Amino acid sequence: MITRRTFLRTTSATGLTLAASGLAAPAIAQGAKIKLGYVSPQTGPLAGFAESDAFNIEAFLASDMGREFEVIVKDSQSNPNRAAEVAKELILNDEVNLMLAASTPENTNPVAGVCEGEGIPCITTVAPWQPWFIGQQGNPRDPASWKPFDYAFHYFWGMEDVIRVYTAMWNQLETNKAVGGLFPNDADGNAWGDNDNGLRPGLDAAGYALTNPGSFQNLTDDFSSQINAFKAANTDIITGVLIPPDFTTFWNQLRQQGVNPKVVTVAKALLFPQSVETLGAAGHNLSSEVWWTPSHPFASTLTGQSSADLAAAFTAKTGRPWTQPIGFVHSLFEVAANVMGRAGDVTDGDAVAEAIATTDLETIVGKVAWNGAGVPEFAARNVCKTPLTGGQWRMKDGGGYDLVIVENGGATEIPTGGTMEALS
């Protein structure tokens, strides 16, 4: 049982409670706190996404918000069933006023689904919007049946953005435009590999031919069938969306078989420096989408820090290199503070949901506003898009890797640091 006290911090595999005092909040009992629930994968194969959670929550609670907040954090253990279970605990036992969740559809979707069913406002991020929105529809195969949500809201980029970024990176090199795809049997993999709503239509339109050998289970130890299919198709390019341990297994097996693609651009697995560092020299010039870096020209509404300042503060406090989720986890609490400051009665779920829907905030990851910009009409109420660029990991002379932005056509305000290079 998690105890709620000001400044109390207790950690376990199931939860972490953090609280801070501020000015008395309107429309809430004297001495009470505005309760935020937060669900993230702190353990398991997706734990890299949650590395900055404690850092960001402490920074949020230390900022001058003008209200009292309590943040109750639950570990999904990288398991969708567990994510749904702890979301219910936060709603029924902890009676949170607003739910936050981040980091892949395995985490965001079950949390948002529980909140929608219980009438609890929820904000999620760090998952492409199609797996989040379409994946929660009663019949994902029937667009005519898709309907907006009343309480669940999401911000991130979409498949159309990653297709644009990937093809723009690949267009910088001479290739045969044959692409091999790696799509696991999970929410991300099924969305990315979907013939109608995934990568294929956009790649076809850009002149790239996708070979999809079929889905596989996460934490597989044998990629022989995928590698053989890529050999048969003479693929110059390999892409997909993998958890970090699966990419390491695949990459090692591919190299053992002497297969040398010109480009490897993989989502999820190649977001984190530690994932690339484990590959040694074999990580040089691997590429992925880039959603936040210290060079992004945005600042925090909580602390006033620039993106560079926030990344430097994380490294100073933890001794770890910056990672992309730092910015987005920080931004979740920016949005939460802004929403609860405008909601009036923070105990009224409908009032909080309406405050989310009318958000218009410049955050550390860019503008967050559910105004329908760049989003199909069926998702316009619930989805907000943020900028996306593309980058490559480059070995540094002194060891380690830098992530260099090599494509910014859809977000020219974010500077590039180089151009695309083929794998050696």
Side-chain angles (χ1 to χ4, degrees):
M1 184 75 177
I2 296 175
T3 305
R4 294 169 46 219
R5 291 182 186 170
T6 303
F7 298 117
L8 175 66
R9 293 171 172 83
T10 59
T11 59
S12 69
T14 58
L16 160 68
T17 300
L18 299 171
S21 294
L23 301 177
I28 194 165
Q30 182 70 28
K33 303 176 184 69
I34 299 173
K35 291 193 281 190
L36 305 178
Y38 178 62
V39 182
S40 69
Q42 295 160 46
T43 58
L46 300 174
F49 283 91
E51 183 182 14
S52 70
D53 283 359
F55 165 81
N56 273 314
I57 293 170
E58 289 182 12
F60 164 63
L61 294 172
S63 65
D64 182 12
M65 300 311 305
R67 289 179 184 255
E68 292 187 336
F69 282 94
E70 180 181 5
V71 182
I72 307 172
V73 184
K74 297 283 189 176
D75 180 9
S76 72
Q77 301 173 3
S78 301
N79 184 303
N81 294 330
R82 174 69 180 170
E85 178 184 334
V86 297
K88 289 179 182 177
E89 290 178 5
L90 287 165
I91 293 168
L92 300 177
N93 298 341
D94 299 295
E95 299 181 335
V96 298
N97 304 116
L98 172 64
M99 187 80 75
L100 308 175
S103 306
T104 81
E106 284 70 38
N107 204 64
T108 60
N109 290 21
V111 174
V114 167
C115 289
E116 186 68 16
E118 296 288 343
I120 298 298
C122 177
I123 306 172
T124 56
T125 190
V126 188
W129 73 258
Q130 285 93 341
W132 180 84
F133 184 89
I134 299 173
Q136 294 184 79
Q137 297 297 320
N139 185 356
R141 295 290 183 181
D142 180 15
S145 71
W146 298 348
K147 59 182 181 180
F149 307 127
D150 293 321
Y151 299 98
F153 297 82
H154 186 76
Y155 65 100
F156 208 49
W157 41 266
M159 297 303 301
E160 67 281 13
D161 303 303
V162 84
I163 291 167
R164 174 189 50 75
V165 166
Y166 281 13
T167 55
M169 288 197 292
W170 301 342
N171 285 341
Q172 296 181 37
L173 301 173
E174 290 290 333
T175 71
N176 62 7
K177 296 195 172 184
V179 183
L182 294 164
F183 307 113
N185 183 22
D186 62 18
D188 256 339
N190 293 334
W192 288 56
D194 187 270
N195 282 333
D196 298 321
N197 298 299
L199 289 184
R200 188 181 296 279
L203 295 188
D204 286 347
Y208 288 86
L210 177 66
T211 295
N212 180 357
S215 62
F216 53 90
Q217 295 304 313
N218 283 320
L219 298 178
T220 188
D221 60 3
D222 185 2
F223 285 93
S224 298
S225 62
Q226 288 82 11
I227 292 170
N228 289 334
F230 298 161
K231 284 182 179 179
N234 191 30
T235 55
D236 273 352
I237 302 165
I238 292 173
T239 192
V241 54
L242 299 170
I243 60 176
D246 280 354
F247 179 77
T248 299
T249 300
F250 165 79
W251 189 229
N252 289 335
Q253 291 179 4
L254 187 78
R255 290 170 62 82
Q256 287 166 6
Q257 294 197 31
V259 181
N260 297 299
K262 293 183 179 180
V263 185
V264 172
T265 307
V266 170
K268 192 182 289 187
L270 297 180
L271 296 173
F272 307 105
Q274 55 268 40
S275 299
V276 181
E277 288 166 0
T278 62
L279 303 173
H284 184 61
N285 278 338
L286 294 175
S287 52
S288 72
E289 75 284 3
V290 179
W291 13 289
W292 183 83
T293 72
S295 64
H296 277 50
F298 309 125
S300 168
T301 57
L302 296 176
T303 65
Q305 292 169 303
S306 67
S307 294
D309 291 338
L310 181 64
F314 173 79
T315 298
K317 187 171 184 63
T318 67
R320 299 291 301 149
W322 68 269
T323 64
Q324 296 191 49
I326 296 171
F328 273 84
V329 174
H330 187 95
S331 71
L332 259 181
F333 292 93
E334 288 187 81
V335 176
N338 178 269
V339 165
M340 300 312 261
R342 293 183 292 105
D345 184 354
V346 299
T347 65
D348 181 346
D350 290 334
V352 174
E354 182 58 27
I356 298 172
T358 56
T359 297
D360 189 348
L361 184 67
E362 296 289 345
T363 75
I364 196 81
V365 299
K367 188 181 185 69
V368 175
W370 283 272
N371 57 16
V375 181
E377 185 176 356
F378 60 77
R381 169 176 167 78
N382 307 109
V383 171
C384 161
K385 294 214 302 182
T386 51
L388 188 67
T389 60
Q392 279 190 299
W393 291 99
R394 302 269 166 81
M395 289 189 70
K396 297 186 288 188
D397 291 339
Y401 278 89
D402 278 331
L403 181 59
V404 177
I405 295 178
V406 297
E407 203 292 311
N408 69 345
T412 54
E413 70 275 19
I414 299 166
T416 60
T419 56
M420 195 72 171
E421 298 177 3
L423 294 169
S424 56

